[in-house]
Amino acid sequence: MPIFWRNFYLRQGLLLAASGLGLLLLFHLTRLDILLEDAWFASSDAVWPLRNAWWSRTLIHQWLRYFLILAALGCIVLSWKRRHAVDALRWRVVGAACVVIPLAVSLGKRASPMHCPWDVDRYGGAAPYFDLFSAVSAHITNMGHCFPAGFVSCASWLFAFALLRYPEQPRASLRIWLGVAALCLSMGAVQQMRGAHFFSHVLWTLWLSWALVVLLHATLGAWRTPAGKAGPDAPATP
């Protein structure tokens, strides 16, 4: 493996480890999740006013999700069509991310004891609030299955596009990464307004998604793509 990519994976691993530790401590030592969620809960009526609003439930949560699923299917087809192109390995990462990231989040939800805000006792539910650190260390029998954020994972596979033209176009890669992060955070904010997820759920989903993109990039050998020859008009390999 070239020294450039060894350094890249090492740097990303260190950043992921540091940010993961930061997220653990932030939501374990503070009440940030609760403070942010309180802003959207009408305690006087004990309801989430935006839970069933047309724009939040139908337009964003349903229609946008369907659109992103169709986009993922299209990318899977495109990655297959480009299987003989010079950038086939990079497109393979995109195609794999479309499947692996939502699947990993779905499996995580199945095993997760953490509850959605609307199931937490503070907001009229019956379950206590747990951050990730508390959930791992506590014995919880009433599983919540609400972590990570499944809706956000409908878009977080798009992080794979940040490495599609990297390192040839580093600025474009950064803009794509920031754009995908903004989209995911916006989708997560809608779910927070509805009482469907805490802010920590959203951030951990972004963390997991980027970690999986980096892992796929390394294990699928996308680093083997010749630098400077990964453009859309590059000739196909024989």
Side-chain angles (χ1 to χ4, degrees):
M1 180 184 294
I3 188 65
F4 173 86
W5 286 112
R6 285 204 299 270
N7 290 339
F8 173 82
Y9 295 131
L10 176 60
R11 185 166 62 251
Q12 292 302 315
L14 292 174
L15 288 172
L16 284 165
S19 58
L21 179 60
L23 288 176
L24 275 177
L25 294 177
L26 174 64
F27 291 102
H28 184 66
L29 300 177
T30 73
R31 291 173 54 84
L32 182 59
D33 259 347
I34 299 298
L35 291 174
L36 293 175
E37 212 58 43
D38 281 354
W40 303 109
F41 182 70
S43 55
S44 57
D45 300 321
V47 296
W48 301 92
L50 297 177
R51 178 172 181 173
N52 294 312
W54 178 84
W55 69 270
S56 63
R57 180 179 181 179
T58 303
L59 179 62
I60 303 297
H61 189 246
Q62 293 183 8
W63 292 2
L64 179 58
R65 179 177 58 185
Y66 297 153
F67 173 79
L68 290 168
I69 291 173
L70 289 175
L73 293 174
C75 286
I76 292 173
V77 172
L78 185 56
S79 67
W80 171 255
K81 287 183 176 181
R82 294 192 65 84
R83 65 189 183 278
H84 298 306
V86 72
D87 59 353
L89 292 173
R90 296 188 184 184
W91 274 103
R92 192 176 299 173
V93 173
V94 174
C98 295
V99 177
V100 170
I101 290 175
L103 179 61
V105 170
S106 178
L107 292 175
K109 288 172 69 70
R110 285 177 176 269
S112 169
M114 299 163 70
H115 292 80
C116 303
W118 54 42
D119 293 325
V120 171
D121 49 15
R122 183 182 182 88
Y123 305 113
Y129 165 77
F130 287 96
D131 62 86
L132 181 59
F133 186 88
S134 300
V136 170
S137 59
H139 178 68
I140 305 172
T141 56
N142 180 22
M143 306 288 278
H145 306 298
C146 194
F147 174 91
F151 179 54
V152 175
S153 72
C154 291
S156 59
W157 59 268
L158 290 165
F159 275 128
F161 281 101
L163 294 180
L164 187 62
R165 296 290 173 255
Y166 185 83
E168 296 84 11
Q169 301 175 21
R171 291 185 179 179
S173 297
L174 178 59
R175 286 195 292 268
I176 291 171
W177 195 97
L178 293 175
V180 174
L183 173 61
C184 293
L185 289 173
S186 299
M187 293 169 62
V190 172
Q191 289 297 81
Q192 287 178 256
M193 296 174 189
R194 299 182 65 236
H197 281 296
F198 287 105
F199 186 48
S200 61
H201 297 187
V202 177
L203 292 184
W204 275 115
T205 304
L206 267 65
W207 185 93
L208 175 62
S209 299
W210 179 244
L212 288 173
V213 166
V214 174
L215 181 62
L216 287 171
H217 193 277
T219 56
L220 294 178
W223 50 270
R224 293 190 178 96
T225 303
K229 296 183 180 179
D233 299 323
T237 56

